[in-house]
Amino acid sequence: MTASRGEVLQGTLDLIVLKTLDALGPLHGYGIAQRIQQVSEDLLKLNQGTLYPALLRLEQRGWISSKWGVSDNNRKAKYYSLTRSGRKQLAAEAESWERMAGIIARLLGAEGA
Amino acid sequence: MSWMRMFGLRLLGFFRSRKDEESFEAELRSHLDALTKENIRRGMSLEEARYAARREFGGVEQTKETYREQRGLPFLETLWQDVRFGGRLIAKHPALSAIIVAILAVGIGAGASLYSLIDACLIRTSITYPVVDRWEVVRAYLPQQKTFVNFLSAPEILEVKQLREVFEDVGAVHGDSFTLTRGEYPERIPGAQVTANAITMTKVQPILGRTFREDEDRPGGPRVVVLRYELWQRRFAGDRKVLGSVMRLDDLDYTIVGVMPQHFEIWGGPLWVPLQLDFTNNNRSDRRNWIVGVLRAGVSEAQANARLRALSKRLEQQYGITTPEYHDWDLRVWNIKEAVIGGVKPALLVLAGAVGLLILIVCANVAVLLLVRATSRLKEIALRIALGAGRGRLIRQMLTESLLLSFAGAVVGVCMSAGCLPLLVHLIPREWLPISPELVRVDHSAIAAACGIAMLTGILFGIAPALQISKQDFVESLKESGSKIGGSRFGRLVRNALIVTEIALSLVVLSGAALMAESYRHLEGIDLGFRADHLLSFRVSVPETKYPRGDQTIQFFERALQEMGSAPMIESAAAVSGQPMGDRAVDLASRDFTISKGARAKTRVPRRTPIFA
């Protein structure tokens, strides 16, 4: 893959969303999308629409909860926030991600040597 | 647990889809608005900003679609759609639908009725008695005569009792009947004499009082009686104070000590008295009792039979000279379930086969009707395919329709079955039914069975029309003006095959039924060697209290026969200990004798068989 803007890796969107909500507190869908683009410095190619089925899935799993509220510029918006079990899930997923990344890194390093 | 929560939420989503849809719509709009606003801030025109916002967002409709799939249960949604559509279709052809449902109701109703019968006779008997799988009758097999003999003598029972590593407990049973006098009316009641452990080994507890104590089944023990619920209700109006009161049986007073629960059917009728077996009786040929026992847990029937074979061989060696009937004999266990239901099993299997065929005929029949209807729907279906419906999706819809019909049939069929089952049970002779008739009923398991049959038949008769669709040439169908009566070649082929199958199956059932009717006619017309049309028979038993000696009994019968013979309407009267063709009990020591016509016949000295009724 030589594309300059990486596709979101399968299964990592959940982790990204959970982490974002953990770092910034309750956010609406637009806010989450903005944050992801900002942090990744536009390197991550994200169709913002794909965020919504993911948010729904996370909510169905009980990891996040949602509530209608009013945004900064006085518009109605749905705010998502991390739940307790979401926090636990984030920790677990982050750990497994790091373990995986470590393995991949070692593997690539070994191949190079 | 989390998948259950997920399923629950999605099920909820399925039911609240409209409200959620609006909410999601609003959420998307606010996201797009925010994007647009941001783009305007960056200096785009409104038009440009909107366009850019949509591009950044990705496909709005696509998002909605995936969101919907995630929210509800797409499978359920399509199913619901199909069910509604199928319902409309059924309502559109009321006559055809009514005929199909009626045909299905007959098949499924027959299935449900038979299931109830089989369930009651073959399956439920095992629930009533905890030890039923290990509960055995021990009987002798005579290979030369190819018969089983159920009656054994006291010394033989003692020998079997010794096999402690095989049997948990061994008891004896003697089928009997009693003349109940006193009370409102005299009555002959079937019952049994049992050793104390013959009841306790069943692990069924009395509902009132107790069963027999160990000291009650010895010779000279007290005269006590245990009743079954039904008799207790009928003769004593369910009075709980009945314990300790006296019942007059065969001119003797018996004290009531206990009541067994309803439907405790084993070992004869609704009352039991202790079998006061005299184990000092060394007469090996005095065989009047059944041996019953419960195998130890973990001992198989094969193991038990091996031990019993060793025992029979030993007895043959030891007593073969004085007891010639031990020659080549073989003791074997016979599971109580077999003993009780063995007689009905073949009849039930025949019935099951007939009902199975009936259901297949029903399927073929309905499939033909549906095929004809499917042919008239070819245009509609061609149109659907043209609009992008997949074949799998169409087949699924057709199957949903046929399942809808078959479940409607099941509802009607179960109602019919519930109404007709008592009539069917009434046709079965009481002594053939190993369970009381009121226990045969359409219960939840029969309804489940009906649903199962409906499911199977629905798929079976729905598959032909569904497949026809997948083979259809749709361009041709669309071109045709109006519906073509013949349908496709494939459709015609399937239809013809179905009709042939249906007729073939019907022939099988009809010829089977005709054969059975013919056999029955033959049985009726069989030459018994005597004319039975002017003969009447009845049973009588003479109380030992009034006629303690054998010659007194003989005197009684001689006088009775003489007086009956001189009655004006009676030509002659005779007495016999076992009714010809009626009592089929075989004794171990049966002998041949010659009757006057010169024909040789085997006499079988019968004893009354314990009745499992």
Side-chain angles (χ1 to χ4, degrees):
Chain A
M1 284 252 239
T2 48
S4 56
R5 268 163 56 121
E7 298 271 352
V8 177
L9 213 61
Q10 194 78 42
T12 53
L13 190 57
D14 287 7
L15 180 58
I16 294 172
V17 171
L18 290 175
K19 184 64 202 169
T20 307
L21 290 177
D22 184 46
L24 298 185
L27 263 187
H28 40 68
Y30 173 71
I32 297 171
Q34 292 308 103
R35 168 72 182 173
I36 292 172
Q37 237 133 46
Q38 188 192 337
V39 170
S40 73
E41 287 165 346
D42 281 343
L43 284 177
L44 210 56
K45 185 177 145 199
L46 177 75
N47 264 341
Q48 300 188 8
T50 56
L51 210 52
Y52 285 94
L55 283 170
L56 179 63
R57 191 173 59 243
L58 293 176
E59 193 178 357
Q60 283 169 340
R61 292 247 164 95
W63 295 335
I64 61 174
S65 62
S66 69
K67 207 166 66 190
W68 281 95
V70 182
S71 71
D72 308 335
N73 46 19
N74 248 343
R75 292 190 63 96
K76 257 183 77 175
K78 203 172 181 183
Y79 278 88
Y80 296 90
S81 52
L82 210 56
T83 63
R84 266 169 52 123
S85 72
R87 224 170 290 279
K88 257 187 264 168
Q89 179 65 23
L90 172 61
E93 268 190 42
E95 199 210 300
S96 88
W97 174 258
E98 268 160 24
R99 195 166 350 108
M100 197 61 186
I103 293 169
I104 300 286
R106 267 213 306 275
L107 201 68
L108 293 177
E111 223 172 310
Chain B
M1 282 315 278
S2 82
W3 67 266
M4 272 179 73
R5 181 196 146 87
M6 191 85 166
F7 180 79
L9 279 170
R10 295 181 77 158
L11 194 66
L12 205 70
F14 165 66
F15 285 112
R16 319 186 315 190
S17 54
R18 179 155 312 164
K19 212 175 138 224
D20 284 358
E21 190 85 357
E22 279 165 15
S23 155
F24 182 54
E25 194 88 39
E27 195 177 358
L28 286 188
R29 222 177 304 120
S30 95
H31 189 131
L32 283 171
D33 284 353
L35 275 176
T36 314
K37 208 169 245 175
E38 175 66 20
N39 288 338
I40 290 174
R41 203 180 54 78
R42 284 188 195 152
M44 291 185 200
S45 73
L46 181 65
E47 201 63 23
E48 272 176 326
R50 270 198 191 140
Y51 185 70
R54 282 193 172 257
R55 204 173 47 218
E56 279 173 76
F57 190 84
V60 175
E61 286 309 315
Q62 221 176 320
T63 304
K64 279 190 194 166
E65 193 60 37
T66 28
Y67 188 87
R68 263 180 227 130
E69 272 168 25
Q70 177 66 33
R71 181 192 55 217
L73 293 163
F75 171 79
L76 212 61
E77 267 155 42
T78 347
L79 182 71
W80 178 230
Q81 226 175 36
D82 286 351
V83 166
R84 271 182 317 185
F85 186 78
R88 275 208 299 275
L89 215 68
I90 288 172
K92 221 172 98 186
H93 306 276
L96 182 68
S97 305
I99 290 172
I100 291 177
V101 169
I103 294 172
L104 284 168
V106 169
I108 297 174
S113 304
L114 188 78
Y115 177 85
S116 305
L117 199 59
I118 289 180
D119 179 54
C121 294
L122 302 189
I123 302 169
R124 221 176 309 145
T125 29
S126 63
I127 297 161
T128 328
Y129 306 102
V131 295
V132 77
D133 292 325
R134 297 184 282 133
W135 192 8
E136 314 278 336
V137 172
V138 178
R139 54 180 182 166
Y141 181 64
L142 304 176
Q144 284 174 351
Q145 300 174 31
K146 290 203 176 73
T147 47
F148 284 97
V149 174
N150 302 329
F151 293 93
L152 294 164
S153 63
E156 289 160 354
I157 293 169
L158 268 183
E159 300 277 5
V160 175
K161 246 177 165 1
Q162 302 300 319
L163 300 177
R164 293 228 168 75
E165 69 285 6
V166 178
F167 293 102
E168 220 168 75
D169 211 347
V170 172
V173 176
H174 178 82
D176 205 346
S177 62
F178 303 88
T179 309
L180 171 66
T181 42
R182 290 210 197 135
E184 286 168 57
Y185 50 94
E187 185 182 356
R188 248 185 105 68
I189 300 174
Q193 300 175 25
V194 295
T195 52
N197 58 5
I199 292 183
T200 50
M201 72 169 68
T202 65
K203 308 268 197 297
V204 178
Q205 299 299 321
I207 52 170
L208 198 64
R210 57 175 178 88
T211 58
F212 302 129
R213 282 197 310 258
E214 287 292 326
D215 61 310
E216 285 170 337
D217 64 1
R218 310 274 149 76
R223 276 195 289 274
V224 285
V225 60
V226 168
L227 309 180
R228 192 174 66 206
Y229 177 86
E230 290 88 340
L231 184 67
W232 175 53
Q233 288 291 326
R234 189 158 57 81
R235 295 294 301 225
F236 300 95
D239 183 3
R240 299 185 73 86
K241 289 192 290 262
V242 78
L243 295 181
S245 60
V246 164
M247 235 178 143
R248 190 85 175 161
L249 297 170
D250 288 349
D251 243 7
L252 290 168
D253 284 335
Y254 284 82
T255 310
I256 299 171
V257 295
V259 177
M260 293 305 284
Q262 204 170 1
H263 310 306
F264 181 76
E265 306 265 352
I266 303 298
W267 309 143
L271 68 84
W272 301 271
V273 301
L275 173 58
Q276 291 161 345
L277 202 56
D278 182 7
F279 282 113
T280 58
N281 176 0
N282 277 327
N283 186 353
R284 298 198 156 258
S285 304
D286 185 11
R287 302 188 174 87
R288 323 156 171 261
N289 305 299
W290 285 40
I291 305 184
V292 294
V294 172
L295 291 178
R296 284 195 181 282
V299 175
S300 70
E301 290 197 0
Q303 286 166 327
N305 279 335
R307 295 305 307 265
L308 285 168
R309 167 160 306 174
L311 172 65
S312 4
K313 287 282 158 289
R314 182 170 67 72
L315 291 180
E316 186 181 339
Q317 278 166 14
Q318 218 167 329
Y319 303 101
I321 297 167
T322 47
T323 329
E325 59 266 29
Y326 281 173
H327 176 64
D328 224 11
W329 81 324
D330 193 7
L331 289 168
R332 287 184 193 176
V333 292
W334 186 25
N335 186 269
I336 199 75
K337 245 167 124 181
E338 281 298 309
V340 174
I341 64 182
V344 249
K345 215 171 173 178
L348 283 179
L349 287 180
V350 167
L351 259 182
V355 168
L357 286 179
L358 177 72
I359 289 173
L360 281 181
I361 294 171
V362 161
C363 284
N365 205 326
V366 173
V368 171
L369 289 175
L370 281 186
L371 267 179
V372 173
R373 200 185 65 179
T375 311
S376 71
R377 280 173 66 187
L378 284 180
K379 267 192 108 163
E380 169 212 321
I381 281 152
L383 204 63
R384 278 160 175 265
I385 288 189
L387 289 175
R391 284 178 191 220
R393 181 75 186 73
L394 278 174
I395 289 179
R396 199 174 132 189
Q397 190 205 315
M398 296 294 280
L399 281 180
T400 310
E401 281 171 41
S402 58
L403 282 173
L404 213 58
L405 282 169
S406 69
F407 273 95
V411 170
V412 181
V414 166
C415 293
M416 267 167 51
S417 163
C420 296
L421 195 60
L423 299 177
L424 175 70
V425 172
H426 190 72
L427 286 176
I428 304 171
R430 181 62 185 86
E431 63 269 26
W432 275 55
L433 212 60
I435 195 164
S436 29
E438 63 267 28
L439 276 186
V440 185
R441 54 176 182 253
V442 181
D443 59 3
H444 57 275
S445 69
I447 290 171
C451 287
I453 299 172
M455 198 78 154
L456 270 178
T457 50
I459 291 171
L460 212 56
F461 70 68
I463 206 91
L467 280 182
Q468 188 196 12
I469 279 168
S470 70
K471 295 266 177 178
Q472 197 65 37
D473 181 355
F474 292 95
V475 183
E476 279 308 306
S477 308
L478 273 179
K479 272 195 233 153
E480 290 289 334
S481 58
S483 67
K484 202 164 70 172
I485 302 300
S488 69
R489 250 188 72 192
F490 177 76
R492 272 199 303 273
L493 212 69
V494 170
R495 208 158 61 221
N496 290 342
L498 280 173
I499 292 172
V500 169
T501 315
E502 195 185 330
I503 291 174
L505 287 175
S506 310
L507 262 176
V508 171
V509 174
L510 283 178
S511 54
L515 274 175
M516 261 189 258
E518 181 66 10
S519 311
Y520 179 72
R521 214 178 55 79
H522 266 298
L523 270 180
E524 290 265 271
I526 214 162
D527 183 16
L528 299 175
F530 57 88
R531 278 179 57 210
D533 58 319
H534 60 293
L535 297 178
L536 295 175
S537 71
F538 64 95
R539 284 167 190 271
V540 65
S541 74
V542 186
E544 270 179 49
T545 44
K546 279 191 184 158
Y547 304 89
R549 294 198 316 272
D551 60 312
Q552 289 172 318
T553 315
I554 294 170
Q555 270 172 22
F556 166 83
F557 277 108
E558 276 174 350
R559 232 188 88 203
L561 291 178
Q562 202 180 358
E563 282 184 25
M564 273 191 268
S566 58
M569 274 176 290
I570 298 174
E571 205 174 284
S572 63
V576 66
S577 56
Q579 202 183 15
M581 310 291 156
D583 295 309
R584 286 179 304 163
V586 185
D587 195 72
L588 200 51
S590 59
R591 286 172 205 94
D592 291 353
F593 78 105
T594 314
I595 56 172
S596 55
K597 271 184 184 169
R600 275 172 73 79
K602 196 154 282 178
T603 170
R604 284 159 182 180
V605 185
R607 312 223 185 265
R608 216 162 283 122
T609 322
I611 304 161
F612 302 99

